[in-house]
Amino acid sequence: MPSEELKNGLPAEIKMETSYVQNGETHHHSFEENGRVVYMNSSYYIRFEEAHDLKAIPVTIKINPDGVVQLIRRGEQTTRFVFNSDQDTETNYHTAAGIMPLLVTTTDLRVSYYDRPFAGRIWVDYTLSANQQKLGDYQIRLRFTT
């Protein structure tokens, strides 16, 4: 059972690394930000702002009690990915050219927690496809410590 402090939200240090392979090219991005971890309605929410091209993009990672993880980025367009190792999920990716429906196939999903201080890790490997064409392979590695 999470502590009362966690229900009110605790400051957290967030370390996130993302990498992806598209068209044979590998791209890597990593950052450290301050954020908050909140326990609400049986789910954990990790909230932070990702500095990107002189803008701060609000990001929320939601960890559901069933182990499904959602990534929500609220930039000029809102993006929501649902990572579920039991089934593929669909999302709409908003671009300047219009809305692109994407299929998210989660190939590896791991979530772990640690006490004193409360901390956790999220490990996601997934592929994105559009119109039955694979766009690339992606990885997210996130650590948080309160």
Side-chain angles (χ1 to χ4, degrees), residues 3-23:
S3 68
E4 281 302 313
E5 297 161 326
L6 202 48
K7 290 178 182 178
N8 295 327
L10 287 174
E13 181 180 292
I14 314 292
K15 294 180 181 176
M16 186 164 164
E17 296 181 12
T18 59
S19 59
Y20 59 94
V21 178
Q22 286 180 325
N23 301 322

Side-chain angles (χ1 to χ4, degrees), residues 46 81 85 98:
I46 304 161
F81 290 111
S85 53

Side-chain angles (χ1 to χ4, degrees), residues 37-113:
V37 177
V38 178
Y39 182 80
M40 185 171 53
N41 300 325
S42 300
S43 297
Y44 289 99
Y45 294 82
I46 304 161
R47 295 184 173 122
F48 56 94
E49 289 189 345
E50 182 180 335
H52 202 325
D53 296 332
L54 305 176
K55 296 178 188 174
I57 299 172
V59 177
T60 301
I61 308 270
K62 179 183 179 188
I63 307 168
N64 295 326
D66 61 2
V68 172
V69 173
Q70 292 182 46
L71 169 67
I72 303 137
R73 297 178 83 231
R74 299 186 195 285
E76 290 180 14
Q77 305 292 337
T78 297
T79 307
R80 180 185 305 261
F81 290 111
V82 177
F83 304 111
N84 182 340
S85 53
D86 293 333
Q87 66 185 42
D88 293 350
T89 59
E90 295 179 1
T91 191
N92 289 321
Y93 187 71
H94 297 263
T95 69
I99 297 172
M100 178 190 311
L102 296 176
L103 183 69
V104 180
T105 302
T106 305
T107 55
D108 194 5
L109 176 61
R110 299 180 226 171
V111 178
S112 55
Y113 303 106

